[in-house]
Structures are given as C-alpha cells and as structure tokens.
Amino acid sequence: MRTRKSIMSLIVAKFGGTSVASPERIQMVAKRLVASKQAGNEVVAVVSAMGKTTDELLGLARAINPDPPAREMDRLLSTGEQVSMTLLAMAIEARGFKAMSFTGRQAGIETDGMHAKAKIHEVHAERIREALDAGFIPVVAGFQGIDPHGDITTLGRGGSDTTAVAISWGIGADVCEIYSDVDGVYTADPRIAPRARKLDAICYDDMLELSSAGAGVLQMRAVEFARKYQVIIHSRSAFSDATGTYIKEATPEMEEAVITGIAHDTSEVKVTIRGVPDTTGVAAKVFSALAGNMVNTDMIIQNISEAGITDISFTCPSADLKRAQETVERVLPEIGAREYDIDEDIAKVSIVGTGMKSSPGVAAKAFSALGESQINILAISTSPIRLSVVVDGAQTAAAVRCLHTAFGLDSDCIFEETQLSAEEIAAKMQKGR
Ligand code: ASP
Ligand code: MG
C-alpha cells in the first residue's frame, strides 16, 4: 500500500511560455521542481510552449495556407508543448532525478472534437499516477488533448492553465501552482495603479469576473474548471519563491471586502448610431444583424428619445470592429437612421467584488469618485458582483486610481516600477494603440 507519511503535498506545477523560453530558464524550472521533490512533495509539471513558439507556428501555417484545416492546425500547434516537455524532462534527468514526459494523449486528457477550443471531458491520469509512484517527476504537455477519433485537439490560447487544473483534478492534487512572470493577482494592474496590492487569496467568482473584465493573469476556462471541481490554484512568480495568490472557495474574511479588485480593458471600441427612429423592433434589427455577423456586443446604451428619435451605442472588441462597421452600414438605411460614428479610444474600467451583493451604495461611491476626478462616464453596465464604466481612453489610469483609493484598496507602499503620473501613463497608452 502507498503511504503518504513522508509526503508533504501532491503538487501540479505549471510553467508558462516565458518561464521555459530558453535553455537557462528550463534549467531554472528543473531546479525548482527538483527542490520541491527533495522537500518531500510529489510533483507533476505542466508546460507551455517555449516563448512565442505558438505564435510562430501560427504564422508559419498562415504563410502556407490562409485558412488552414483545423485538424492540421491543432496537430501543428501541439508540437510546441512537446518540445518544451521533453527538454524539461532532460533537464531534470541532468540533475540526477527521474523524469518522464507525456503528451496530452499519454496524460489521458480526453476532449470533444472542437479543434482550437476543445473542452476536456475526462482525465485518465493512471499513467501519471504510476510514474509518480515509481519516483518520476512527470512532465505533461499543456494545451492539448485527444478527441474521440484519436485526433489531437488544443484547448484555446493559454490552455496550458486548463491542462494543469485538469491534471490536478485527475490526480487529486493538493494545489495547482501556476507559475508565470507575474507574482499573483493584484487589486489593480500595478503598472498603472502604483498602490495596487497583491491579494493573498481571491474566490473563484471574483477571479472569473476580474478575468472577463480584462485582468489577464489566468485563462478563464482554467478558473471555471477549478471552480467546478474545487481545485485550489496558487498563482505565483516563476522568478521568486514568494507566496503568490490563492484562488479558492470564498472564506468569511474574503467576503468582508466590498470590492476585491479593479480591472481595465482597452480592447473594446464604441459604436454610436445616431438619429434612430424610436419604434418597436429597431433594436432587435440592429442587434440580430450584429449577432448574425459574429459581432460580440458587450455594453448597450439607448438614450431617451426626443421627438421619436434616439441614439443607440454599443461596445464590442476591436477585433470585431470591421464586421460591426459593415453591419451598421447595411442596417442604417433599413432602420432609417441618420449616421454612425466610432470611438476607438475608450476603456472599460470595472470594480469587482462578491461583497457588493450585500453592500448598497457601491455605484454611488464609484460615480462620486469618478466625478470628483473629472472623469466623464460614457456607459455603465452591472452584474451582481461587478460595476463597469466606459471612460475616455486617456483617463484609464486616472479612473483606476481614483476607484482604487475610493474603495480603500490602496497599499501604504508604492509599487516600485510605477512612479509615472496618470497623465504620463495615458500618453504611453495612447502611443501603444
Ligand atoms: N502555448 C499555448 C499558447 O500560447 C498554450 C499556453 O501557453 O498556455 O496559447
Ligand atoms: Mg500562456
């Protein structure tokens, strides 16, 4: 019988592309895994492809065929992780420890057949378990699985996070450590809010809402999977030993905070249709046409009509702008609207917190803070645990900072790298567009 007497924990450790970008970094990862094993843990590694490999493979494929077959594309992309997994296994062996690499199929990751965004159905982790029992450090290729026909699938960009959570579930790991170039989840992006604090812990719901509002620490699918199967995630830095942020079920002390964090997203654009006759069915026409053209609308605002004429605005990802424009130009004469315009320089700033549910006055406080900072609100949307406002792109940093202060999130120490003023950051962000 297997005894866990001397074992401290069963850990899955996932390393992203930057953490395995070079031979030196792969050595660093191997060193870390070996140290964890020496400390008495059982460890399984999950890796992403080295550096920008996935982007490079995508570029190669598109240079050959602008519309590559999905099956071949997944087969190609899955090779990136197979390079890093074998190199990491070799690096561990070079340190005198036993390691064995596994593709998605070998690790028992079974998915549906939706190439490029496959969903995991089952994890048959027997081989990983056996390798652990035999004293190996198993190294699993992230981002990939196998469909019912035996074809290779991939799990969507950033999908190695999901692999790590799935393997954690499959083997019943105590924790799923996700190593990256950031050291955890912050109350706001420290690059624009210098008083942002690293959170010790955050609940699944808040993490999901922050991710969907623009915080890019973890792949959302991974957090959804973790919530469903109660896998504890520890998001931490690959370049230090500091504790990061635990993502787990809500605890009473987490719920004391009204607002957990603030996210911003500058990837959306706003389209306004002007001079729209305020008659039944107009909104249905506009938004059915947009949906039919695969435009993902986010916020929608319709003004009160004056003399039967109104304006309708919506926001959508910049990636959908071309399609949105085509659609609006087509429906404009159909609905008898006058004109439309596009505002590409906007930002969505969201405050998120499960605690909001039981605390009235959040909106009032947020609007007052923005008003005092002379920030004009262009659109508003809410969910039970989120309040989002659209503001002028140049005011992104100012909006995040004033909300951060208003909701008592400011830390006493200032994040070293961010000594820039809100104006300087606005100028930088403008340039980056
Ligand atoms: N290599 C894949 C990507 O770049 C998966 C991952 O990094 O998690 O999206
Ligand atoms: Mg990644």
Side-chain angles (χ1 to χ4, degrees):
M1 222 185 73
R2 215 165 63 85
T3 158
R4 289 193 56 161
K5 225 189 266 156
S6 61
I7 290 165
M8 287 174 70
S9 304
L10 175 54
I11 298 171
V12 170
K14 182 257 166 176
F15 295 88
T18 9
S19 320
V20 292
S22 63
E24 296 72 33
R25 292 211 175 151
I26 292 177
Q27 298 285 10
M28 268 174 65
V29 170
K31 193 170 157 198
R32 192 184 268 272
L33 291 166
V34 163
S36 184
K37 170 117 180 130
Q38 277 176 317
N41 299 312
E42 281 190 310
V43 215
V44 179
V46 174
V47 283
S48 291
M50 292 173 72
K52 297 256 167 283
T53 304
T54 309
D55 291 325
E56 285 159 15
L57 292 172
L58 275 164
L60 263 178
R62 298 229 166 92
I64 302 274
N65 179 342
D67 187 20
R71 177 183 182 275
E72 303 313 317
M73 197 62 174
D74 273 0
R75 187 71 189 80
L76 176 69
L77 294 186
S78 72
T79 61
E81 272 70 11
Q82 295 180 21
V83 170
S84 48
M85 77 174 188
T86 43
L87 292 176
L88 179 56
M90 291 176 195
I92 297 168
E93 289 275 342
R95 294 183 174 265
F97 283 75
K98 293 196 285 181
M100 201 188 277
S101 65
F102 295 90
T103 62
R105 161 186 251 153
Q106 290 173 318
I109 309 259
E110 293 180 1
T111 72
D112 61 19
M114 291 298 290
H115 286 291
K117 49 171 184 273
K119 283 210 174 70
I120 297 175
H121 283 166
E122 252 322 317
V123 181
H124 292 290
E126 293 81 16
R127 284 203 67 188
I128 303 290
R129 194 59 269 173
E130 280 165 28
L132 281 171
D133 288 344
F136 286 86
I137 299 179
V139 182
V140 179
F143 181 51
Q144 56 185 268
I146 198 86
D147 79 2
H149 302 295
D151 283 330
I152 292 181
T153 51
T154 63
L155 310 176
R157 298 306 306 267
S160 301
D161 288 355
T162 304
T163 303
V165 173
I167 294 282
S168 302
W169 170 62
I171 62 171
D174 297 302
V175 63
C176 176
E177 296 184 333
I178 298 196
Y179 289 89
S180 68
D181 47 3
V182 296
D183 56 0
V185 181
Y186 277 76
T187 50
D189 183 343
R191 286 167 302 184
I192 72 163
R195 291 201 180 272
R197 276 183 299 115
K198 187 174 78 188
L199 294 161
D200 294 331
I202 181 170
C203 67
Y204 297 119
D205 289 342
D206 283 355
M207 190 67 239
L208 281 171
E209 199 78 45
L210 276 178
S211 305
S212 77
V217 195
L218 297 166
Q219 198 212 24
M220 267 180 77
R221 289 250 320 263
V223 183
E224 275 163 8
F225 200 107
R227 173 170 69 175
K228 188 159 169 203
Y229 297 107
Q230 303 288 302
V231 172
I232 297 174
I233 296 177
H234 182 190
S235 157
R236 57 189 305 193
S237 165
F239 306 108
S240 89
D241 286 326
T243 307
T245 304
Y246 283 89
I247 297 129
K248 54 183 192 178
E249 206 47 70
T251 59
E253 71 267 23
M254 278 191 221
E255 276 167 5
E256 267 169 32
V258 176
I259 298 301
T260 307
I262 300 174
H264 70 279
D265 181 356
T266 51
S267 71
E268 288 191 0
V269 295
K270 182 159 76 70
V271 179
T272 302
I273 310 176
R274 296 188 194 281
V276 183
D278 194 4
T279 49
T280 358
V282 166
K285 253 197 203 126
V286 173
F287 291 97
S288 313
L290 287 166
N293 213 358
M294 305 298 283
V295 177
N296 246 315
T297 52
D298 179 15
M299 293 192 187
I300 297 170
I301 319 107
Q302 176 170 345
N303 285 338
I304 307 266
S305 64
E306 270 178 55
I309 298 289
T310 186
D311 295 345
I312 299 178
S313 300
F314 63 87
T315 65
C316 68
S318 350
D320 295 359
L321 178 58
K322 235 183 105 213
R323 270 172 283 127
Q325 220 170 330
E326 283 162 17
T327 317
V328 170
E329 275 167 22
R330 184 157 46 79
V331 295
L332 217 62
E334 280 175 38
I335 58 170
R338 197 173 64 231
E339 61 191 9
Y340 77 98
D341 56 64
I342 295 163
D343 189 353
E344 289 188 66
D345 190 15
I346 58 159
K348 183 169 77 170
V349 176
S350 306
I351 57 178
V352 170
T354 318
M356 213 186 267
K357 274 193 271 192
S358 50
S359 172
V362 169
K365 191 171 187 171
F367 299 157
S368 312
L370 291 165
E372 277 158 28
S373 299
Q374 311 297 324
I375 296 168
N376 190 25
I377 301 171
L378 307 175
I380 302 163
S381 79
T382 61
S383 89
I385 64 167
R386 174 184 50 80
L387 172 79
S388 302
V389 295
V390 170
V391 299
D392 190 279
Q395 291 184 310
T396 317
V400 172
R401 289 176 183 192
C402 84
L403 292 168
H404 200 267
T405 306
F407 286 96
L409 296 173
D410 283 356
S411 120
D412 296 334
C413 51
I414 295 188
F415 195 77
E416 319 89 47
E417 284 169 37
T418 322
Q419 308 288 0
L420 299 180
S421 70
E423 292 71 36
E424 285 168 316
I425 287 180
K428 260 179 87 172
M429 290 177 63
Q430 296 287 63
K431 265 219 233 113
R433 264 166 215 285

Short mmCIF file of all heavy atoms in Angstrom, two decimals, residues 6 42 56 60 75 78 113 137-138 206 253 257 279 283 289 291 309 336 358-359 367 396 417 420:
data_model
loop_
_atom_site.label_atom_id
_atom_site.label_comp_id
_atom_site.label_asym_id
_atom_site.label_seq_id
_atom_site.Cartn_x
_atom_site.Cartn_y
_atom_site.Cartn_z
N SER A 6 5.69 10.36 4.48
CA SER A 6 6.79 11.31 4.32
C SER A 6 6.47 12.38 3.28
O SER A 6 7.28 13.25 3.02
CB SER A 6 8.03 10.54 3.88
OG SER A 6 7.75 9.92 2.63
N GLU A 42 5.29 15.33 -3.88
CA GLU A 42 5.15 14.66 -5.16
C GLU A 42 4.79 15.75 -6.15
O GLU A 42 3.87 16.54 -5.90
CB GLU A 42 3.99 13.66 -5.12
CG GLU A 42 4.35 12.35 -4.45
CD GLU A 42 3.25 11.32 -4.65
OE1 GLU A 42 2.07 11.64 -4.39
OE2 GLU A 42 3.56 10.20 -5.07
N GLU A 56 4.59 31.66 -33.54
CA GLU A 56 5.43 31.39 -34.71
C GLU A 56 4.84 30.27 -35.55
O GLU A 56 4.80 30.34 -36.78
CB GLU A 56 6.86 31.04 -34.28
CG GLU A 56 7.65 32.26 -33.82
CD GLU A 56 8.84 31.93 -32.93
OE1 GLU A 56 9.24 30.72 -32.89
OE2 GLU A 56 9.34 32.84 -32.25
N LEU A 60 3.63 30.45 -39.43
CA LEU A 60 4.09 29.50 -40.46
C LEU A 60 2.91 28.92 -41.22
O LEU A 60 2.90 28.89 -42.46
CB LEU A 60 4.81 28.33 -39.77
CG LEU A 60 6.32 28.35 -39.69
CD1 LEU A 60 6.80 27.12 -38.93
CD2 LEU A 60 6.91 28.38 -41.09
N ARG A 75 -2.69 19.80 -34.79
CA ARG A 75 -1.57 18.86 -34.81
C ARG A 75 -0.26 19.64 -34.76
O ARG A 75 0.66 19.30 -34.03
CB ARG A 75 -1.67 18.03 -36.11
CG ARG A 75 -0.68 16.89 -36.21
CD ARG A 75 -1.09 15.81 -35.23
NE ARG A 75 -0.08 14.77 -35.10
CZ ARG A 75 1.01 14.88 -34.34
NH1 ARG A 75 1.25 15.99 -33.69
NH2 ARG A 75 1.86 13.88 -34.25
N SER A 78 0.31 21.63 -31.34
CA SER A 78 0.60 20.75 -30.20
C SER A 78 2.08 20.40 -30.12
O SER A 78 2.57 19.97 -29.08
CB SER A 78 -0.23 19.46 -30.29
OG SER A 78 0.27 18.64 -31.33
N GLY A 113 -14.43 17.18 -29.95
CA GLY A 113 -13.72 17.32 -31.22
C GLY A 113 -13.63 18.75 -31.73
O GLY A 113 -13.31 18.97 -32.89
N ILE A 137 9.32 12.45 -11.89
CA ILE A 137 8.61 13.73 -12.00
C ILE A 137 7.96 13.71 -13.39
O ILE A 137 8.66 13.84 -14.40
CB ILE A 137 9.55 14.95 -11.87
CG1 ILE A 137 10.22 14.95 -10.50
CG2 ILE A 137 8.77 16.25 -12.10
CD1 ILE A 137 11.19 16.11 -10.26
N PRO A 138 6.64 13.50 -13.46
CA PRO A 138 6.01 13.51 -14.78
C PRO A 138 5.96 14.93 -15.32
O PRO A 138 5.71 15.87 -14.57
CB PRO A 138 4.58 12.99 -14.51
CG PRO A 138 4.61 12.45 -13.11
CD PRO A 138 5.69 13.20 -12.40
N ASP A 206 -14.93 36.02 -7.98
CA ASP A 206 -14.28 37.31 -8.19
C ASP A 206 -13.19 37.19 -9.26
O ASP A 206 -13.03 38.07 -10.10
CB ASP A 206 -13.67 37.84 -6.89
CG ASP A 206 -14.72 38.41 -5.95
OD1 ASP A 206 -15.89 38.48 -6.36
OD2 ASP A 206 -14.35 38.79 -4.82
N GLU A 253 -13.37 35.79 5.74
CA GLU A 253 -12.57 37.04 5.75
C GLU A 253 -12.47 37.65 4.35
O GLU A 253 -12.40 38.86 4.21
CB GLU A 253 -11.20 36.86 6.44
CG GLU A 253 -10.17 36.04 5.72
CD GLU A 253 -10.20 34.56 6.16
OE1 GLU A 253 -11.24 34.07 6.65
OE2 GLU A 253 -9.17 33.93 5.99
N ALA A 257 -14.45 42.23 2.42
CA ALA A 257 -14.16 43.33 1.50
C ALA A 257 -15.34 43.51 0.55
O ALA A 257 -15.88 42.54 0.04
CB ALA A 257 -12.91 43.02 0.70
N THR A 279 -38.86 53.26 -32.71
CA THR A 279 -40.03 52.41 -32.93
C THR A 279 -39.70 50.98 -32.54
O THR A 279 -38.54 50.61 -32.45
CB THR A 279 -40.45 52.42 -34.42
OG1 THR A 279 -39.29 52.18 -35.21
CG2 THR A 279 -41.06 53.75 -34.81
N ALA A 283 -34.15 47.96 -32.25
CA ALA A 283 -33.01 47.36 -31.54
C ALA A 283 -32.84 45.90 -31.96
O ALA A 283 -31.73 45.42 -32.18
CB ALA A 283 -33.20 47.46 -30.03
N ALA A 289 -28.68 41.67 -36.58
CA ALA A 289 -27.72 41.78 -37.70
C ALA A 289 -26.29 41.67 -37.18
O ALA A 289 -25.45 40.99 -37.77
CB ALA A 289 -27.92 43.10 -38.42
N ALA A 291 -25.28 40.16 -34.42
CA ALA A 291 -25.03 38.77 -34.00
C ALA A 291 -24.81 37.89 -35.22
O ALA A 291 -23.91 37.04 -35.23
CB ALA A 291 -26.21 38.27 -33.17
N ILE A 309 -36.90 60.33 -31.91
CA ILE A 309 -35.59 60.00 -32.49
C ILE A 309 -34.61 59.75 -31.35
O ILE A 309 -34.61 60.48 -30.37
CB ILE A 309 -35.05 61.18 -33.35
CG1 ILE A 309 -35.99 61.46 -34.52
CG2 ILE A 309 -33.64 60.91 -33.84
CD1 ILE A 309 -35.96 60.41 -35.61
N GLY A 336 -33.71 53.40 -41.06
CA GLY A 336 -33.95 54.83 -41.25
C GLY A 336 -33.15 55.70 -40.30
O GLY A 336 -33.60 56.78 -39.90
N SER A 358 -24.05 42.40 -0.89
CA SER A 358 -24.71 42.73 0.36
C SER A 358 -24.33 44.11 0.86
O SER A 358 -24.43 44.42 2.03
CB SER A 358 -24.33 41.68 1.41
OG SER A 358 -22.93 41.52 1.42
N SER A 359 -23.87 44.96 -0.07
CA SER A 359 -23.45 46.29 0.37
C SER A 359 -23.99 47.35 -0.58
O SER A 359 -23.50 47.53 -1.68
CB SER A 359 -21.92 46.30 0.40
OG SER A 359 -21.46 47.59 0.63
N PHE A 367 -19.41 56.50 -8.71
CA PHE A 367 -19.71 57.66 -9.56
C PHE A 367 -19.20 58.95 -8.92
O PHE A 367 -18.69 59.83 -9.61
CB PHE A 367 -21.21 57.75 -9.84
CG PHE A 367 -21.77 56.54 -10.57
CD1 PHE A 367 -23.12 56.22 -10.49
CD2 PHE A 367 -20.94 55.73 -11.34
CE1 PHE A 367 -23.63 55.11 -11.15
CE2 PHE A 367 -21.44 54.61 -12.01
CZ PHE A 367 -22.80 54.30 -11.90
N THR A 396 -7.92 56.29 -18.49
CA THR A 396 -7.91 54.93 -17.92
C THR A 396 -7.22 54.88 -16.56
O THR A 396 -7.80 54.45 -15.56
CB THR A 396 -7.18 53.94 -18.86
OG1 THR A 396 -7.58 54.19 -20.19
CG2 THR A 396 -7.49 52.51 -18.48
N GLU A 417 7.96 49.93 -9.74
CA GLU A 417 8.12 50.19 -11.17
C GLU A 417 7.19 51.29 -11.67
O GLU A 417 7.35 51.77 -12.78
CB GLU A 417 7.84 48.91 -11.96
CG GLU A 417 8.97 47.93 -11.89
CD GLU A 417 8.58 46.58 -12.45
OE1 GLU A 417 7.82 46.57 -13.43
OE2 GLU A 417 9.00 45.57 -11.89
N LEU A 420 5.15 56.64 -12.54
CA LEU A 420 4.62 57.57 -13.54
C LEU A 420 3.31 58.18 -13.07
O LEU A 420 2.55 57.55 -12.35
CB LEU A 420 4.37 56.84 -14.86
CG LEU A 420 5.57 56.20 -15.56
CD1 LEU A 420 5.13 55.52 -16.83
CD2 LEU A 420 6.61 57.24 -15.87
#
